[in-house]
Amino acid sequence: MISLSIEGAVAVATLCRPPVNAINEEWVARLDAVLEEIERAPAVGVLWIRSSERVFCAGADLDLMRSIFDSPAGRERMIALTRRMQEVFARLEALPKVTLAEIGGA
């Protein structure tokens, strides 16, 4: 999903959800856990986000969206996921580390 390696002051988070790193609930939870680990590592000064796939990140998982929009409970689940994504991305934005994304492909 998202792997994390830390070498000295550099943390490398690699998106690895083939084929296009589509975002789902597990992906968001893992990114949140990665950010928590980096926040607790005072020696880390840089977060480098990259992808193991040809696509950096395609965005929301469209198959997931199609499967859950058919019911009121599914729509509520999608709203909750969207809110959670916003929270985690805001946490990434506020991270007190230098953050860079290596974007190759789409």
Side-chain angles (χ1 to χ4, degrees), residues 35-36 38-39 46-47 90-99:
L35 295 176
E36 183 173 330
I38 291 167
E39 287 171 342
V46 175
L47 169 60
R91 185 177 189 184
L92 175 61
E93 182 181 2
L95 189 69
K97 313 284 182 175
V98 173
T99 305

Side-chain angles (χ1 to χ4, degrees), residues 24-97:
N24 65 4
E25 290 139 323
E26 293 82 16
W27 190 99
V28 173
R30 177 61 185 146
L31 179 57
D32 193 40
V34 164
L35 295 176
E36 183 173 330
E37 189 169 342
I38 291 167
E39 287 171 342
R40 290 185 316 209
V44 171
V46 175
L47 169 60
W48 172 13
I49 304 172
R50 57 179 303 276
S51 172
S52 66
E53 304 304 311
R54 291 183 55 140
V55 173
F56 180 75
C57 182
D61 186 326
L62 298 178
D63 289 335
L64 171 67
M65 291 175 68
R66 276 189 218 87
S67 71
I68 66 176
F69 270 129
D70 290 342
S71 71
R75 288 188 289 277
E76 289 299 320
R77 179 178 164 199
M78 193 64 218
I79 290 168
L81 173 57
T82 302
R83 284 187 181 129
R84 186 73 182 119
M85 287 168 54
Q86 291 171 334
E87 291 168 357
V88 173
F89 293 145
R91 185 177 189 184
L92 175 61
E93 182 181 2
L95 189 69
K97 313 284 182 175

